[in-house]
Amino acid sequence: MTNPDNHITLSELTQHIKGVINAAFDTESYWVIAEISGHKMYMDGDRHYFEFVEKADESSETTAKIRGIAWREGSESIKAFEQQTGQVFKDGIEILARVKVEYQVKYGIQLILLDIDQNWTLGNLEKQRQATLARLVAENPDAIRKVGEEYVTTNKQTPLNAVIQHIAIIGSPNSEGYKDFIGVLESNQFNYRFDIDNYQSAVQGAEAHTEIVNRLVAIYQSNKKYDCVVLIRGGGAKTDFLVFDNYLLAKATARFPIPIITGIGHSTDTSIVDMMVNTRTNTPTKAAEFVVLHNRNFEDHVLNLQKNITIQTQRLLASALSGITKANLTVINKSRLLLAHHKDSLSEIANQMSVRPRIAIAHQIQELENVKTNMHTNTRKYLANLDGYLNHYQSLIRMAKPESILKRGFAIVSQDGKPVSDPEKLQTDSQMKVIMHAYDIETKIIAKRKRADGESYL
């Protein structure tokens, strides 16, 4: 057991620890990969306080954590990092940093940030983008294909209507980007008018992609016939655009059945969503200008068609007028020739008619006599045939007379002075009359029996 009398003070111990640690790490620096957490910045002293954190890939549980600080050198490195990558130094980002181990008696062990590898961060973001793009193609072959360096999607192949008028906007009405978009549409020089519905959504933050997808679902379920959906946001840091590299949001936009126009970044920013949609523009202003220009192109096309129709109509009329003039001249010339020809023909016919009229009249008289003779002969034959038909029908009528039928052994059954044709109406013990040739028989029904099918007395 140690002797308690041989004690030292806490400050003496921490000074000893400081000496040992600083002696071991004083001249060394290390490149480490870690996530930033609990970040705070003090502008007056140009200082950053935070923690370096390492998490397990599968469970996201913290496996290591140590206090970090950036003094002037580290703060300058953070500024350069933000300028070059567009990535804000904040909680949740993962960096490759050069650090120095330091022990302070009051604060304990900490890592001093000296530098940040910007290329590593950019490369890591690009690796994530490429992995997301590969997954989109692999898991959605019916809606997303890569052709060369381009991505062909369902949304990209859905054509825009000739005129864009009914628009659904996804964005924040209070953002500058939204105001820019609406301002351009409302002040367009062609006085086009638009019917706009706003589907408000956050466009940055960890859960923004879920909110945007829900707005797309709401647009689809509204059953409104929108000409397009416009997804907009203003400028911002590069990390603010990471939501538009999200797999689920990119998948939803690629499959969406209504054409989507994006205006979510700047000329240097192209998100995965930009690659999936029908039309990508750089900013909300550019998106609005695209809509106006799209409608203007259609109007110009209609005006050009009108102009071409007018020109072609004038040409056709001129050509037709020339043709009519030529035809008139041709008709006049041919008419003169025909009149001259027919004049000669008429003169010849007149000469013939003056010589032959008596012969023609005699011939017609003979024809009339022949017709008269034929009519007498045919009339006698027709009347003889009709007389034969009448005699035949008279014989049939005599045979169908009731007296003739009764003479052949038939009888008429009557009851209550009325003939009975339905045996079902005759009841047993009822009186009935049987009318035969030359006799009427009064009788009574003793019995009645229905014959079996097929049974006959004939």
Side-chain angles (χ1 to χ4, degrees), residues 100-243:
K100 180 181 178 181
V101 181
E102 180 182 83
Y103 181 84
Q104 293 288 340
V105 173
K106 290 180 64 175
Y107 303 109
I109 193 167
Q110 58 189 13
L111 299 180
I112 308 300
L113 190 146
L114 303 175
D115 194 9
I116 303 175
D117 188 334
Q118 304 161 8
N119 293 328
W120 184 89
T121 299
L122 292 173
N124 195 41
L125 290 174
E126 184 59 29
K127 285 181 182 178
Q128 294 176 13
R129 280 167 53 88
Q130 293 303 321
T132 300
L133 287 168
R135 181 184 173 191
L136 286 167
V137 174
E139 296 183 5
N140 304 276
D142 60 319
I144 306 171
R145 295 180 293 111
K146 186 176 183 183
V147 180
E149 297 301 318
E150 296 293 325
Y151 290 87
V152 180
T153 68
T154 298
N155 191 261
K156 192 171 290 187
Q157 290 185 308
T158 303
L160 284 164
N161 290 336
V163 175
I164 297 175
Q165 186 174 14
H166 303 287
I167 303 173
I169 301 179
I170 299 178
S172 174
N174 298 322
S175 68
E176 292 301 319
Y178 180 90
K179 294 176 182 177
D180 291 342
F181 180 83
I182 296 297
V184 172
L185 291 188
E186 290 182 346
S187 62
N188 74 88
Q189 60 179 316
F190 308 110
N191 294 320
Y192 299 146
R193 294 292 176 262
F194 300 92
D195 181 13
I196 298 173
D197 290 336
N198 180 58
Y199 290 80
Q200 184 171 350
S201 172
V203 288
Q204 64 185 58
E207 300 301 322
H209 69 276
T210 300
E211 194 168 344
I212 297 173
V213 170
N214 289 338
R215 297 292 84 77
L216 287 172
V217 172
I219 291 170
Y220 178 76
Q221 292 179 342
S222 73
N223 292 323
K224 293 184 179 180
K225 296 187 179 300
Y226 290 112
D227 297 311
C228 69
V229 176
V230 179
L231 178 57
I232 57 175
R233 80 172 303 283
K238 195 175 187 68
T239 49
D240 293 335
F241 293 94
L242 293 179
V243 62

Side-chain angles (χ1 to χ4, degrees), residues 345-359:
S345 298
L346 288 172
S347 298
E348 182 178 352
I349 291 171
N351 292 331
Q352 291 178 357
M353 289 184 66
S354 64
V355 176
R356 300 175 57 186
R358 287 188 298 274
I359 298 174

Side-chain angles (χ1 to χ4, degrees), residues 381-406:
K381 290 181 179 179
Y382 179 69
L383 292 174
N385 289 335
L386 289 179
D387 185 61
Y389 290 142
L390 288 173
N391 292 332
H392 173 70
Y393 289 135
Q394 287 176 352
S395 299
L396 292 176
I397 291 170
R398 285 194 297 271
M399 294 176 64
K401 289 174 64 176
E403 293 82 353
S404 299
I405 295 174
L406 292 177

Side-chain angles (χ1 to χ4, degrees), residues 88-101:
V88 176
F89 190 86
K90 63 179 183 178
D91 293 354
I93 68 168
E94 191 174 57
I95 62 172
L96 174 61
R98 186 166 65 87
V99 299
K100 180 181 178 181
V101 181

Side-chain angles (χ1 to χ4, degrees), residues 400-441:
K401 289 174 64 176
E403 293 82 353
S404 299
I405 295 174
L406 292 177
K407 286 180 179 181
R408 293 200 297 273
F410 293 98
I412 298 173
V413 177
S414 68
Q415 192 174 54
D416 299 326
K418 297 180 180 179
V420 178
S421 61
D422 185 5
E424 295 292 338
K425 295 181 179 179
L426 298 175
Q427 303 297 326
T428 307
D429 294 330
S430 62
Q431 297 291 329
M432 72 173 187
K433 179 188 288 186
V434 179
I435 302 171
M436 301 181 68
H437 177 63
Y439 289 92
D440 291 340
I441 301 173

